[in-house]
Amino acid sequence: MKDMPMALRHPATSFTTCAVCNIRHRAVCATCNAKELMRLEDMKYYRTFDAGQAIMYEGDEMQFVGSVVTGVAKLSRTLPDGRIQMLGLLLPSDFIGRPGRARVAYDVTALQKVTLCCFRRKPFETLVADTPHIGQRLLAMSLDELDVARNWMLLLGRKTAREKIACLMAMVARRTSALEPAAPKNGITFEMPLSREAMGEYLGLTIETVSRQITALRKDDIIVLADQRQITIPNMDRLNAETGDDIGAASAP
Amino acid sequence: MKDMPMALRHPATSFTTCAVCNIRHRAVCATCNAKELMRLEDMKYYRTFDAGQAIMYEGDEMQFVGSVVTGVAKLSRTLPDGRIQMLGLLLPSDFIGRPGRARVAYDVTALQKVTLCCFRRKPFETLVADTPHIGQRLLAMSLDELDVARNWMLLLGRKTAREKIACLMAMVARRTSALEPAAPKNGITFEMPLSREAMGEYLGLTIETVSRQITALRKDDIIVLADQRQITIPNMDRLNAETGDDIGAASAP
DNA sequence: CGTTACGTTGACTCCCGTCAAGATCCGTGG
DNA sequence: CCACGGATCTTGACGGGAGTCAACGTAACG
């Protein structure tokens, strides 16, 4: 690796300019014009965090806001007695931080090695204040996040453990197949970015219940495990029938 | 009533102009200047809904967006088999609808008699597009809603039935006392705007569990009921100690 | 190898959902 | 005035789904 040309060491991402950034068209900067992009270039810097490393702690002063460039992070909150609930999954192009707020509202932790494109908070707030583009983009992204959060409320409040696991599998499968050029339709395979513990935090379950329900879905041939993280969905309709969202598709195997 | 002067028939609200509106300084229009307010006046109209009446259905075309002026409404979603989860409580000054989206994402239902200040969707979207004021205000409100939704995720995913009820009581008590000029500190009394059924929908519980936990909190003298809806909190610290959020205050009575 | 983190499985418990029966409140009408 | 019916709420009995505690299996890594 160390002898490879520089450009190949980061195959998915360039850490140099916005023009060649892999999240350029999906992140908060998606609607920026050339001039606005230059202002962003001036205030931005990259940081990386190892898997498991804390990015921000609830209550800390927010030094920067920014976008996830590569990797997966989680948003979570912990009760005084130690119970943890994940509140969001941060994927590439997702935005971290709230302009106009000085303190961090949730713990942010890297689940894999994460690269962030950070903006110093104050200059970014100024930029948002005088470029409607960015404010509108932030609004659209916030409203999307709100929809995601509310969907998750339905899952947390009303779904059974089996349905919760099925929903998580379906969500990751859908997201993965959306990234691929051609939708395979049958036999979707993906890598689950979450450990059993992280799944439990996300779904409001214990790690034991997560494990048991995954085993149950495997025995019912709804999912197939190559290893702990590699999952194949032989028939997406049958998985969807387990989520509680779909009424139909409960036919014989 | 019919012989009263016009101004007294709606003691809390005037349905005539924005200038004298009771939510003028808290709603989406809070930061509008006189000229923007005039544009809003042109596109607005009032509608009222009786308790229990549907305001919008998930999947319908969104005809209007708007603000709650008086009353309380709920945002909810229903699974195919009938399970219901409330996703938000809409109080005076809260905004309904998402600019830029043609279809309604959740059921919206009046819990009490509700008055809405409605804006036709298309003109409102145009207004948002060319007045940064309103976009920024919407962004701030959306981010607040996101915080509320995520707090609720923690409650739904990790709290016990008793803690959920205590949280709901504390939330309504806090909101009510915030409206009053002087904070009474001891012996907060409020009217619960939700039926047992609505509480269950909000908290992800059955009506029976809601009833049992309210009885339990009453027997422990955490709450006092005058009637079904009139609730007094003799000691806010003791209630907070039951929410799971507070670590301290678990001392003897 | 041993160590450690992660995942699975079993036995048991308990919280909350389900089903059912009453209780209370309220508006309507005789 | 009371009787009646419906909606709302409470209470009890019971069962099941998920949590808890514990042991074991597996993989990664020194």
Side-chain angles (χ1 to χ4, degrees):
Chain A
M1 175 80 98
K2 67 163 71 122
D3 292 326
M4 293 173 82
M6 183 63 183
L8 295 182
R9 286 191 208 163
H10 300 292
T13 314
S14 164
F15 297 126
T16 49
T17 67
C18 297
V20 293
C21 176
N22 65 327
I23 59 166
R24 166 73 179 87
H25 57 302
R26 287 182 296 147
V28 67
C29 47
T31 57
C32 289
N33 59 33
K35 191 178 169 200
E36 289 156 1
L37 228 45
M38 280 182 60
R39 283 185 68 179
L40 279 175
E41 294 264 19
D42 281 346
M43 67 179 76
K44 93 181 186 199
Y45 55 98
Y46 290 100
R47 289 185 66 180
T48 65
F49 298 85
D50 289 330
Q53 198 180 349
I55 296 173
M56 297 175 175
Y57 281 113
E58 179 184 343
D60 283 359
E61 194 185 347
M62 202 187 304
Q63 306 284 357
F64 61 89
V65 298
S67 301
V68 177
V69 182
T70 64
V72 179
K74 70 171 181 177
L75 226 57
S76 66
R77 180 171 279 178
T78 304
L79 289 173
D81 65 1
R83 283 172 286 179
I84 299 176
Q85 176 64 48
M86 203 187 297
L87 305 173
L89 211 51
L90 296 168
L91 303 172
S93 84
D94 282 340
F95 189 76
I96 298 177
R98 167 173 176 158
R101 174 164 300 177
R103 305 224 152 258
V104 178
Y106 319 103
D107 295 330
V108 184
T109 313
L111 293 173
Q112 305 171 341
K113 182 167 183 178
V114 165
T115 305
L116 296 187
C117 173
C118 308
F119 310 108
R120 284 174 292 121
R121 191 166 62 84
K122 283 291 168 124
F124 185 80
E125 285 176 7
T126 307
L127 181 64
V128 170
D130 49 50
T131 59
H133 271 151
I134 299 179
Q136 285 160 11
R137 178 76 189 137
L138 263 178
L139 175 59
M141 291 175 77
S142 301
L143 290 169
D144 286 343
E145 278 187 275
L146 191 55
D147 280 347
V148 170
R150 285 177 170 158
N151 274 332
W152 218 250
M153 285 173 64
L154 174 60
L155 176 144
L156 292 172
R158 291 302 186 189
K159 289 186 178 173
T160 65
R162 184 181 174 97
E163 288 170 340
K164 286 177 175 179
I165 296 287
C167 282
L168 178 63
M169 296 294 173
M171 188 197 76
V172 178
R174 212 177 304 123
R175 211 198 56 220
T176 304
S177 65
L179 292 181
E180 288 172 15
K185 186 60 193 168
N186 268 358
I188 296 171
T189 297
F190 58 91
E191 182 177 328
M192 169 60 58
L194 305 181
S195 67
R196 298 294 187 268
E197 184 180 22
M199 290 188 225
E201 289 179 7
Y202 204 11
L203 300 171
L205 298 172
T206 61
I207 178 174
E208 295 94 331
T209 299
V210 169
S211 187
R212 271 187 263 267
Q213 295 299 332
I214 288 178
T215 300
L217 288 175
R218 192 169 51 68
K219 287 189 174 159
D220 292 344
D221 299 319
I222 308 286
I223 62 177
V224 178
L225 303 190
D227 66 32
Q228 242 40 274
R229 299 285 188 111
Q230 290 290 330
I231 299 174
T232 299
I233 313 292
N235 183 332
M236 203 60 193
D237 291 340
R238 290 190 62 212
L239 178 61
N240 284 330
E242 300 291 337
T243 61
D245 294 321
D246 246 20
I247 190 65
S251 53
Chain B
M1 173 80 99
K2 68 164 71 121
D3 293 326
M4 294 173 79
M6 183 63 182
L8 294 183
R9 287 194 208 158
H10 302 291
T13 314
S14 163
F15 297 127
T16 50
T17 68
C18 297
V20 293
C21 176
N22 65 328
I23 59 166
R24 166 73 180 88
H25 56 302
R26 287 182 296 146
V28 66
C29 48
T31 57
C32 288
N33 60 31
K35 192 179 166 198
E36 290 155 359
L37 228 46
M38 279 182 60
R39 283 185 66 182
L40 279 176
E41 294 262 19
D42 281 347
M43 67 179 78
K44 94 181 185 198
Y45 56 98
Y46 291 101
R47 289 185 64 181
T48 64
F49 297 85
D50 288 331
Q53 197 180 350
I55 296 173
M56 297 175 175
Y57 282 113
E58 179 185 342
D60 283 359
E61 194 186 345
M62 203 187 301
Q63 307 284 357
F64 61 88
V65 298
S67 300
V68 176
V69 182
T70 63
V72 178
K74 70 172 182 177
L75 226 57
S76 67
R77 179 171 279 178
T78 305
L79 289 172
D81 65 0
R83 283 173 284 178
I84 299 176
Q85 177 64 49
M86 203 186 297
L87 304 173
L89 212 50
L90 297 168
L91 303 172
S93 84
D94 283 340
F95 188 76
I96 297 177
R98 167 173 176 162
R101 175 162 298 178
R103 307 223 150 259
V104 178
Y106 319 103
D107 294 329
V108 185
T109 313
L111 293 173
Q112 304 170 341
K113 182 169 182 175
V114 165
T115 305
L116 298 186
C117 173
C118 308
F119 309 108
R120 285 174 292 123
R121 191 166 62 84
K122 283 291 169 119
F124 186 80
E125 285 177 6
T126 307
L127 181 65
V128 170
D130 49 49
T131 59
H133 270 152
I134 298 179
Q136 285 160 11
R137 178 75 189 138
L138 264 178
L139 176 60
M141 291 175 77
S142 301
L143 290 168
D144 285 343
E145 278 186 275
L146 192 54
D147 281 347
V148 170
R150 284 176 171 158
N151 273 333
W152 218 249
M153 285 173 64
L154 174 60
L155 175 143
L156 292 173
R158 293 302 185 188
K159 289 187 177 172
T160 65
R162 184 183 174 95
E163 288 170 342
K164 286 176 176 180
I165 296 287
C167 282
L168 178 63
M169 297 292 173
M171 187 196 76
V172 177
R174 212 177 304 120
R175 210 198 58 217
T176 304
S177 65
L179 293 181
E180 288 172 15
K185 185 61 190 168
N186 269 357
I188 296 171
T189 296
F190 59 90
E191 181 178 329
M192 171 59 60
L194 304 181
S195 67
R196 299 293 187 267
E197 183 180 22
M199 289 188 224
E201 289 178 8
Y202 203 11
L203 300 170
L205 299 171
T206 61
I207 178 175
E208 294 95 330
T209 299
V210 169
S211 186
R212 271 187 264 266
Q213 295 300 332
I214 288 178
T215 300
L217 288 175
R218 193 169 51 70
K219 286 189 175 159
D220 293 344
D221 298 321
I222 309 287
I223 62 177
V224 178
L225 303 190
D227 66 32
Q228 243 39 273
R229 300 285 188 111
Q230 291 291 329
I231 299 173
T232 298
I233 313 293
N235 184 332
M236 202 61 193
D237 291 340
R238 291 191 61 213
L239 178 61
N240 285 331
E242 300 290 337
T243 61
D245 294 321
D246 246 21
I247 192 66
S251 54

